[in-house]
């Protein structure tokens, strides 16, 4: 969606095959410059090296979208797997902090920039068996607020877009590929799509420079809160 609006893109993720294909497709279709790179946001030295050594034509990051994140597992806290907790905390909190910490000083130096964090309804309400995932998204909300305060006297804007139920690979990842459990999450209701969330992010990113959408809760019409979902 950003390519469609003529933004050049730096795309980073762990699955470089998918990323490479997407990058070639977008560059060709929308005539924008795309740089795709395999990067795990959890790996601080790699993040530092990547951001500090970007090719000149990609060196000015105007908009940073912190989207990398996951839920892993769905268990009561007293039974949950430490590995699931580590994955969520390292990606959703530390990964977001790693990238942000390296990109923001460059934005300050250039006097322009916008950080858009992808939060969640889970950063506002805690639901059963989601305690640590929710904690990680509460942290995103706190980081979003803290960064906005610390950057208030700069031209850098800080926003978060907080989706509810969105049908992406989210549930498949949470349930480790168990398709039945994953599709149950969206059963009888119409979830958001990735596109719905992308449209919200684009809206946030395209306000005039004196306007900042501090945070935006975006829910399916069938969802009223983390606990209230209308299912047919
Ligand atoms: C994703 C939304 O409700 O599945 O962050 O936690 S929810």
């Amino acid at each position: 969606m950003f390519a469609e609006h003529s933004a050049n893109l730096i795309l980073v993720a762990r699955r470089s095959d998918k990323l490479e294909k997407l990058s070639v497709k977008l560059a060709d279709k929308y005539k924008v410059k795309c740089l795709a790179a395999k990067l795990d946001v959890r790996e601080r030295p790699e993040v530092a090296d990547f951001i500090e050594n970007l090719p000149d034509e990609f060196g000015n990051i105007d908009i940073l979208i912190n989207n990398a994140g996951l839920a892993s597992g769905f268990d009561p806290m007293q039974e949950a797997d430490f590995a699931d907790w580590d994955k969520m905390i390292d990606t959703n909190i530390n990964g977001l902090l790693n990238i942000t910490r390296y990109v923001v000083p460059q934005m300050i130096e250039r006097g322009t920039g916008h950080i858009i964090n992808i939060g969640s309804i889970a950063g506002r309400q805690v639901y059963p068996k989601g305690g640590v995932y929710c904690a990680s998204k509460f942290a995103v909300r706190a980081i979003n607020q803290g960064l906005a305060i610390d950057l208030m006297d700069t031209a850098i804007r800080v926003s978060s877009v907080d989706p509810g139920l969105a049908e992406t690979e989210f549930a498949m990842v949470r349930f480790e590929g168990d398709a039945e459990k994953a599709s149950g999450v969206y059963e009888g209701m119409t979830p958001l799509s990735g596109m719905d969330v992308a449209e919200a992010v684009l809206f946030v990113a395209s306000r005039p420079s004196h306007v900042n959408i501090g945070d935006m809760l975006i829910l399916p019409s069938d969802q009223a809160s983390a606990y209230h979902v209308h299912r047919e």
Side-chain angles (χ1 to χ4, degrees):
M1 199 161 272
F2 276 73
E4 198 180 334
H5 287 80
S6 305
N8 296 324
L9 304 172
I10 301 171
L11 304 168
V12 298
R14 291 173 305 168
R15 286 175 291 178
S16 48
D17 286 4
K18 271 189 101 173
L19 208 59
E20 196 52 50
K21 278 191 200 123
L22 179 66
S23 168
V24 168
K25 186 174 130 193
L26 293 177
D28 183 51
K29 187 163 177 196
Y30 298 111
K31 309 295 171 220
V32 296
K33 286 186 219 154
C34 281
L35 174 68
K38 182 176 160 81
L39 188 68
D40 186 333
V41 294
R42 295 175 297 183
E43 302 298 332
R44 189 173 298 153
E46 283 173 33
V47 170
D49 182 55
F50 180 74
I51 300 295
E52 283 167 1
N53 296 298
L54 282 167
D56 282 349
E57 55 180 350
F58 288 100
N60 298 347
I61 298 173
D62 298 309
I63 303 167
L64 166 64
I65 302 172
N66 280 319
N67 180 62
L70 78 164
S72 190
F74 193 66
D75 304 293
M77 284 225 209
Q78 63 275 20
E79 293 166 17
D81 187 352
F82 278 107
D84 283 334
W85 288 357
D86 289 344
K87 239 187 276 176
M88 292 188 279
I89 292 167
D90 287 347
T91 311
N92 303 3
I93 307 177
N94 285 327
L96 181 146
L97 287 171
N98 289 341
I99 287 269
T100 305
R101 180 64 182 83
Y102 286 108
V103 171
V104 167
Q106 300 183 2
M107 288 179 165
I108 293 175
E109 212 168 288
R110 291 197 315 279
T112 177
H114 196 160
I115 297 126
I116 304 176
N117 295 309
I118 306 302
S120 172
I121 178 88
R124 300 168 182 235
Q125 294 174 314
V126 181
Y127 53 80
K129 301 184 193 173
V132 173
Y133 174 67
C134 293
S136 75
K137 289 298 185 176
F138 268 67
V140 171
R141 194 158 161 75
I143 291 163
N144 191 70
Q145 285 178 18
L147 197 58
I149 294 165
D150 292 345
L151 292 174
M152 198 174 59
D153 62 350
T154 73
I156 322 295
R157 285 180 283 178
V158 183
S159 309
S160 85
V161 172
D162 300 354
L165 290 164
E167 192 163 18
T168 59
E169 293 175 335
F170 179 85
M172 281 292 269
V173 171
R174 166 170 260 174
F175 295 113
E176 289 179 322
D178 184 330
E180 206 172 314
K181 274 191 191 163
S183 64
V185 174
Y186 312 110
E187 206 174 318
M189 54 90 62
T190 308
L192 300 172
S193 67
M195 232 24 169
D196 296 323
V197 179
E199 276 183 347
V201 174
L202 186 71
F203 176 81
V204 167
S206 55
R207 294 311 85 210
S209 63
H210 69 288
V211 177
N212 183 41
I213 309 292
D215 60 46
M216 182 196 274
L217 180 64
I218 170 169
L219 300 175
S221 304
D222 283 333
Q223 184 176 17
S225 79
Y227 320 105
H228 299 91
V229 180
H230 172 71
R231 296 182 198 268
E232 290 293 345

